[in-house]
Amino acid sequence: MANEENLIPFSERTESEQREIARKGGIASGESRRAYRSLKQAAKAFFKENENAAMAVVQAMYEEALGGNVKAVDKLQDLIGETVKREELALKKKQLAEQNGQKNVAELPKLLQALQEDETK
């Protein structure tokens, strides 16, 4: 059974051990990417041939979202092009307006512009 006494930190391993571990990780990563790509291609082909199935999946996601599933809401927003970042930007604008409303209203457009530039980077 593994415990902290049995573990050797990566930094304390020899160069050849580090290289071997990294090589194994690279091989496993490549296998994982290939498997995911194959699954993605199969799903695209299936939904291209079966439009009713694609609509059923969207309907199921919609019903889950109505039931309060936040991940389903996020996926639906991604599908229709409305990401959460836009909503976060609007919330930040509102918070800045509230914070700076009493201090200096003239600087607010500059602050909002800077915030938008930071979000696009």
Side-chain angles (χ1 to χ4, degrees), residues 61-115:
M61 283 183 8
Y62 175 73
E63 289 171 5
E64 283 290 317
L66 286 178
N69 186 335
V70 177
K71 287 185 178 183
V73 172
D74 289 343
K75 290 296 179 184
L76 282 173
Q77 285 180 327
D78 286 345
L79 279 175
I80 61 175
E82 293 181 10
T83 61
V84 176
K85 287 188 178 190
R86 290 184 194 161
E87 294 176 15
E88 289 175 355
L89 179 60
L91 181 61
K92 287 179 182 179
K93 285 180 184 179
K94 183 179 178 183
Q95 289 172 345
L96 276 174
E98 290 173 358
Q99 289 174 356
N100 296 314
Q102 300 150 353
K103 295 178 183 176
N104 190 352
V105 178
E107 291 184 16
L108 186 59
K110 294 177 187 176
L111 290 171
L112 292 175
Q113 180 66 28
L115 180 61

Side-chain angles (χ1 to χ4, degrees), residues 16-42:
S16 61
E17 286 178 315
Q18 290 179 1
R19 205 174 300 119
E20 182 64 20
I21 291 170
R23 187 182 73 77
K24 287 180 180 178
I27 291 170
S29 174
E31 289 174 0
S32 175
R33 287 178 187 217
R34 284 188 294 279
Y36 179 77
R37 186 177 58 229
S38 296
L39 181 63
K40 187 175 178 180
Q41 288 172 345

Side-chain angles (χ1 to χ4, degrees), residues 46-66:
F46 175 78
F47 285 127
K48 197 177 264 189
E49 292 177 10
N50 303 303
E51 290 182 24
N52 291 338
M55 289 303 292
V57 169
V58 172
Q59 177 68 30
M61 283 183 8
Y62 175 73
E63 289 171 5
E64 283 290 317
L66 286 178

